[in-house]
Amino acid sequence: MSEQRTVGAILNMLGLLGISSILVVAFTYQLALGELPCPLCLLQRAGFIAIGMGFLFNMRFGERPSHYAMILVASLVTGFISIRQVSLHLAPGDPGYGSTLFGLHFYTWALLAAVGVVGYVALVFMLKDVTGERDGDAPLNGLASNAIFAIFALLVAANLLSTVLECGAGQCDDNPVRYLLLK
């Protein structure tokens, strides 16, 4: 059976790929450069995972307003967590936490991405309205959507495992320098 590809379906797949890309970049910096995420960074990753789950639910169960609401609420929470971390490093002379990507720290990128997701969902709504699509389209079950789901699921599992290795069953260090369970 061929995969039905509507504007909404394609944009949800692209949204989940975008979220997966964010998690890949963060995870690459963690593994390749040894930059362990701080507690606020972990919360931001959890927020992006929640955003991704909203896109995934739209792909797997059909588009629903509640799934888009999940994306928007997770984006707002992720944005507020990012604002908190940005505000912690506003003092003159504060070098910030971790390395930068194109001159900005990851928590600044997280804020921009969270705001971008809200705009993206607005774009999805506008394009669906222009094309006459309605929510409730059939779930996607083709090769492309299954591959995107597998990539996202692998990233979620890897982030969960690395968080357990970093923090154990307790509170994470404010400035982690090693994996707690890999002493």
Side-chain angles (χ1 to χ4, degrees):
M1 179 177 219
S2 70
E3 187 172 328
Q4 178 187 4
R5 293 202 177 165
T6 62
V7 170
I10 292 168
L11 292 175
N12 277 291
M13 284 195 300
L14 289 175
L16 187 56
L17 269 176
I19 295 302
S20 296
S21 298
I22 290 169
L23 294 173
V24 164
V25 169
F27 210 52
T28 300
Y29 268 69
Q30 177 180 339
L31 296 178
L33 301 178
E35 293 206 10
L36 297 179
C38 66
L40 287 173
C41 302
L42 292 171
L43 285 175
Q44 291 163 40
R45 286 190 194 188
F48 284 116
I49 289 170
I51 293 167
M53 293 302 289
F55 286 121
L56 178 65
F57 288 171
N58 276 335
M59 290 169 51
R60 286 290 178 214
F61 305 119
E63 293 179 79
R64 304 277 187 277
S66 59
H67 302 160
Y68 285 113
M70 178 180 181
I71 294 167
L72 293 173
V73 169
S75 296
L76 290 173
V77 170
T78 303
F80 285 127
I81 294 167
S82 302
I83 288 172
R84 168 71 173 135
Q85 192 165 8
V86 167
S87 68
L88 289 173
H89 299 288
L90 284 180
D94 187 325
Y97 182 80
S99 62
T100 61
L101 178 65
F102 302 118
L104 297 176
H105 289 277
F106 283 107
Y107 44 86
T108 306
W109 281 115
L111 174 58
L112 295 172
V115 171
V117 168
V118 172
Y120 186 78
V121 170
L123 176 69
V124 170
F125 287 155
M126 286 187 296
L127 291 175
K128 284 175 58 81
D129 192 45
V130 167
T131 60
E133 290 182 27
R134 297 291 169 243
D135 288 339
D137 291 337
L140 297 174
N141 294 314
L143 181 62
S145 64
N146 288 340
I148 293 168
F149 167 74
I151 291 167
F152 181 70
L154 180 65
L155 287 166
V156 170
N159 273 283
L160 177 62
L161 176 63
S162 74
T163 301
V164 170
L165 289 174
E166 179 183 339
C167 305
Q171 182 176 344
C172 298
D173 291 339
D174 288 338
N175 292 310
V177 292
R178 62 180 168 71
Y179 290 96
L180 183 66
L181 297 183
L182 297 179
K183 289 185 196 180

